[in-house]
Amino acid sequence: MAVLSISNAHLAFGHVPLLDGANFALETGERVGLIGRNGTGKSSLLKILAGIEKLDDGLLQLQQGLTSVYVPQEPELNPEASIFEVVSEGVAEAKALRERFELHDPNDDLAWVQERIEHIGGWTWEQRVDETLQRLGLDGARIVGTLSGGLKKRVALARALVAQPDVLLLDEPTNHLDLDAIAWLEGLLNEFKGSLLLITHDRAFLDNVANRIVELDRGQLRGYPGNFAAFQAAKAYELENEALANARFDKLLAQEEVWIRKGVEARRTRSVARVQRLHEMREARAARRDVQGKVRLDIDTGSSSGKIVAELENVGKRYGDRSIVDDFSATILRGDKIGLVGPNGAGKTTLLKLILGELQPDSGTVRQGSKLTVAYFDQMRDTLNLDATLADTISPGSEWIEIGTQKKHVKSYLGDFLFSPARANSPVKSLSGGERNRLLLARLFARPANVLVLDEPTNDLDIETLELLEELLADYDGTVFLVSHDRRFLDNVVTSTIVNEGPGRWREYEGDIQDWLTQSKRAAALQAKAAPAAAPAPAPAPAPAPVVASKRKLSYKEQRELDELPAKVAALEAEQVQINALLNGVELYAQGAARIAEVTARAAEIDEELLGLLERWEVLEAK
């Protein structure tokens, strides 16, 4: 049963309609991921469903008595209030009614007030707020103005959840959240009993939370059952069929245009119905909204840096009593693509500044390489002048821009990033959040650099642009430092990760996020297995016994098992590569749910088998 719906919805800003006769319904208990290009109207649709904005035309229907809560990208919170006070705003009605009941004149008849308080659970609103704060790991006494962006987002979610809404509307809920917080939010939303509609470009988050994907594409809302991986397969098939149908239509239209222009001979044989059909075809072609072009990304690396970009030996950095970096050593080589992973406030920016020589260490040494040209992407977009035009932002004082040996007009270059020529002279403040990020990328790639520092580049970018940015960075010859909490993006770009493992403790792992998680899991399992064995050590026993045991020879079977282990591990790892290729491709998702479940289950089995073999390898080698 639908809890809310829109029918024949129309909405336009300027000459391009954002909603063009669109239809959508949110069912009870659904978790819907709303996706689409930047600027297509996703946030506007969410505000319409929340009752903040109105449709130009069409019908919005809500279930009677429905309660919904909208959490925007940048929630507005009173910076001087405590967390408890801000979260209590979610139960404002219960607070007001109970206060009125407790302070009312004895002669007033407030039976309806008492009935409403009981209906919404207003007698125990404080307990509800306390329980929500505890569940979300928040200290109610802290002042909101002192919180990080990630904690502020938690406070906004707590304010929404304490209201116990039927529908939760979330706009980019993962922005400013670290990996642990995103995993926590996934669990929270999967436990939510109401209906959920969220906008996000985090593909891993969509896969783990959504059970239906709705795409806003060229003014229409199209639904796809399943998670994002299933959507990708279905969408590719759909676009292929659409392209074929359009090609057939255009070919027929071209033939009819030739026929109508044949002159006297054609006029003798003209059919009124055929002429009428041609007019209809012309109107249909004019009204067709083709798939928007793709962003074209390219970057000039300029001159190559030295082979070594930076060399750190036993580097330490403290601020007061707090250790940010403690005894960290690493060598960064030209062409490395390094992901920095850690909770908000762990010191990722400080470590980056140490690596690039912008900050001096308290202890240890840092040696920078030669010929470094560094370009920065700032997640807070502080470097954008909101009153400047798009053209001046890219190329101040000139209509031309040079990318390597190629010279381009600034409007043509902006067109590569999906900005129409008419918008080149528009102010930056007229852009959406995603469009501003796209403009920052355009400015970043307009300048030669052999070291890129990208701080949360994925915020607000649409999924197609993310995929193209991944391809660009993978092919980039220079060095990349990437700070991001988008797991899929990191997995597709980085060659190694530097991970925060506690106050001041940083460790470098080869591979991507999944490799780091796998290695951490194996290390933790081996440590846990070794811990019980270490416990009996203090017990009285003859001193030579452990030495003899540690030096005993392997039995024939154990030696044979050890010799076979490398081949078994290699075979499993090869199968794991094939399975991952299947899961990341599109063919699998056209083979039915049973086949998808089979492949997914086998991927989990391989992880377990590999862990078991590696543990056994450790045991046999220890003997």
Side-chain angles (χ1 to χ4, degrees):
M1 180 180 178
V3 292
L4 58 81
S5 65
I6 56 170
S7 306
N8 195 28
H10 292 266
L11 180 71
F13 290 108
H15 64 285
V16 177
L18 300 179
L19 298 176
D20 190 10
N23 300 290
F24 168 72
L26 180 64
E27 302 290 332
T28 304
E30 267 196 320
R31 298 193 299 275
V32 176
L34 177 61
I35 64 173
R37 282 281 181 88
N38 294 137
T40 54
K42 301 185 298 295
S43 294
S44 297
L45 175 59
L46 223 58
K47 290 175 183 176
I48 287 167
L49 297 177
I52 299 171
E53 294 182 0
K54 294 189 180 299
L55 292 167
D56 294 339
D57 193 15
L59 179 64
L60 168 64
Q61 291 180 301
L62 305 177
Q63 196 177 76
Q64 189 173 5
L66 182 78
T67 59
S68 65
V69 176
Y70 166 65
V71 181
Q73 288 188 46
E74 303 294 338
E76 293 184 5
L77 308 175
N78 181 359
E80 298 176 358
S82 68
I83 291 178
F84 184 90
E85 290 169 340
V86 170
V87 175
S88 298
E89 293 171 7
V91 289
E93 183 188 6
K95 284 176 63 178
L97 287 175
R98 205 178 81 182
E99 186 176 341
R100 178 175 179 179
F101 184 85
E102 291 170 349
L103 301 177
H104 77 282
D105 189 305
N107 297 321
D108 290 344
D109 180 15
L110 295 180
W112 69 272
V113 175
Q114 183 176 0
E115 183 180 347
R116 180 62 181 165
I117 291 174
E118 290 173 354
H119 179 70
I120 64 175
W123 298 118
T124 57
W125 68 262
E126 297 97 337
Q127 181 182 348
R128 212 157 92 202
V129 171
D130 284 332
E131 288 174 352
T132 303
L133 292 176
Q134 186 176 2
R135 186 180 174 199
L136 272 63
L138 294 169
D139 179 1
R142 291 187 65 181
I143 302 301
V144 169
T146 65
L147 304 179
S148 66
L151 282 176
K152 286 179 181 176
K153 185 61 73 80
R154 282 200 187 209
V155 172
L157 289 167
R159 183 173 62 180
L161 292 170
V162 78
Q164 297 179 340
D166 301 311
V167 176
L168 196 54
L169 305 170
L170 304 179
D171 195 348
E172 294 289 0
T174 61
N175 280 6
H176 309 305
L177 295 185
D178 55 44
L179 288 175
D180 289 339
I182 291 172
W184 158 84
L185 181 59
E186 287 175 358
L188 188 73
L189 296 180
N190 282 323
E191 292 173 4
F192 180 61
K193 302 301 182 186
S195 302
L196 171 67
L197 177 61
L198 62 94
I199 298 171
T200 184
H201 300 126
D202 187 326
R203 292 156 288 178
F205 187 77
L206 279 171
D207 273 341
N208 294 335
V209 172
N211 54 25
R212 182 160 73 104
I213 301 295
V214 170
E215 184 186 29
L216 179 51
D217 179 28
R218 290 164 283 169
Q220 298 296 316
L221 290 160
R222 297 179 177 88
Y224 301 83
N227 60 12
F228 181 73
F231 156 78
Q232 281 185 302
K235 184 65 177 178
Y237 181 73
E238 185 181 284
L239 286 176
E240 185 179 342
N241 287 341
E242 181 182 336
L244 288 172
N246 286 342
R248 286 194 293 266
F249 179 93
D250 292 343
K251 183 178 180 181
L252 178 60
L253 177 60
Q255 291 171 346
E256 294 299 285
E257 292 287 5
V258 170
W259 169 79
I260 199 69
R261 289 173 173 79
K262 276 187 177 179
V264 176
E265 181 183 351
R267 283 198 294 273
R268 290 196 194 114
T269 58
R270 272 185 192 167
S271 160
V272 174
R274 191 171 179 182
V275 172
Q276 178 62 30
R277 186 182 69 166
L278 175 59
H279 287 307
E280 290 172 356
M281 290 178 72
R282 286 173 174 172
E283 290 173 1
R285 182 64 186 89
R288 184 204 298 170
R289 294 177 66 181
D290 289 322
V291 176
Q292 193 177 13
K294 289 187 175 183
V295 177
R296 291 187 289 277
L297 301 179
D298 192 15
I299 187 167
D300 177 19
T301 56
S303 59
S304 296
S305 66
K307 184 176 181 181
I308 293 179
V309 173
E311 196 170 22
L312 294 82
E313 292 184 11
N314 309 115
V315 169
K317 186 68 180 176
R318 301 179 69 88
Y319 288 114
D321 295 333
R322 186 183 170 209
S323 175
I324 305 298
V325 179
D326 184 19
D327 195 28
F328 177 68
S329 299
T331 301
I332 314 297
L333 301 178
R334 181 180 64 231
D336 283 351
K337 296 175 178 64
I338 298 172
L340 277 80
V341 177
N344 292 325
K348 297 186 290 292
T349 302
T350 299
L351 180 57
L352 261 178
K353 288 181 177 179
L354 288 168
I355 292 171
L356 297 172
E358 297 175 7
L359 198 62
Q360 294 303 311
D362 296 336
S363 60
T365 59
V366 179
R367 183 168 67 91
Q368 269 79 41
S370 59
K371 302 178 183 178
L372 298 185
T373 309
V374 185
Y376 291 87
F377 181 94
D378 177 18
Q379 65 162 321
M380 300 309 292
R381 301 189 281 269
D382 290 337
T383 55
L384 284 177
N385 180 356
L386 299 183
D387 294 320
T389 65
L390 274 63
D392 285 341
T393 300
I394 298 300
S395 182
S398 173
E399 293 185 354
W400 298 91
I401 187 169
E402 290 188 9
I403 309 294
T405 58
Q406 187 180 14
K407 192 173 183 180
K408 271 191 173 185
H409 194 279
V410 68
K411 289 186 178 181
S412 174
Y413 181 70
L414 284 169
D416 291 345
F417 290 81
L418 303 184
F419 294 109
S420 66
R423 300 188 71 184
N425 294 319
S426 300
V428 172
K429 61 187 176 186
S430 68
L431 303 181
S432 68
E435 289 172 324
R436 291 183 192 184
N437 259 16
R438 217 190 297 148
L439 182 66
L440 270 178
L441 287 173
R443 188 174 69 174
L444 177 75
F445 295 160
R447 299 164 187 175
N450 51 41
V451 177
L452 290 182
V453 179
L454 305 177
D455 191 356
E456 291 293 352
T458 62
N459 283 355
D460 303 324
L461 286 183
D462 59 61
I463 290 169
E464 288 188 13
T465 306
L466 280 179
E467 291 173 345
L468 288 162
L469 181 57
E470 288 172 356
E471 292 176 14
L472 174 77
L473 294 177
D475 296 336
Y476 177 59
D477 294 330
T479 307
V480 177
F481 294 96
L482 179 59
V483 179
S484 178
H485 298 128
D486 186 323
R487 292 155 291 181
R488 190 72 55 82
F489 187 77
L490 285 165
D491 281 344
N492 292 340
V493 171
V494 303
T495 56
S496 65
T497 52
I498 298 177
V499 181
N500 179 263
E501 297 186 331
R505 298 200 309 274
W506 296 87
R507 182 177 174 185
E508 185 174 9
Y509 290 86
E510 288 299 317
D512 54 30
I513 293 293
Q514 196 55 51
D515 293 324
W516 158 54
L517 293 174
T518 302
Q519 292 174 60
S520 299
K521 183 180 176 182
R522 288 172 183 168
L526 289 171
Q527 189 175 5
K529 192 168 183 179
V547 178
V548 173
S550 65
K551 290 186 177 180
R552 76 173 179 86
K553 290 185 177 180
L554 294 175
S555 68
Y556 172 75
K557 287 184 178 179
E558 287 175 329
Q559 184 61 52
R560 185 174 178 181
E561 183 183 2
L562 180 60
D563 293 340
E564 292 174 351
L565 276 174
K568 289 182 178 178
V569 169
L572 278 175
E573 287 178 340
E575 186 181 357
Q576 189 178 51
V577 170
Q578 293 176 345
I579 291 286
N580 288 338
L582 271 176
L583 291 171
N584 292 328
V586 298
E587 296 85 357
L588 172 65
Y589 299 95
Q591 297 177 15
R595 175 62 176 157
I596 295 171
E598 178 189 343
V599 174
T600 306
R602 180 55 187 155
E605 288 173 7
I606 291 174
D607 285 339
E608 292 298 323
E609 289 177 24
L610 270 175
L611 181 59
L613 288 177
L614 290 168
E615 288 176 357
R616 181 60 179 162
W617 200 340
E618 290 276 349
V619 171
L620 291 175
E621 284 195 332
K623 291 182 178 182

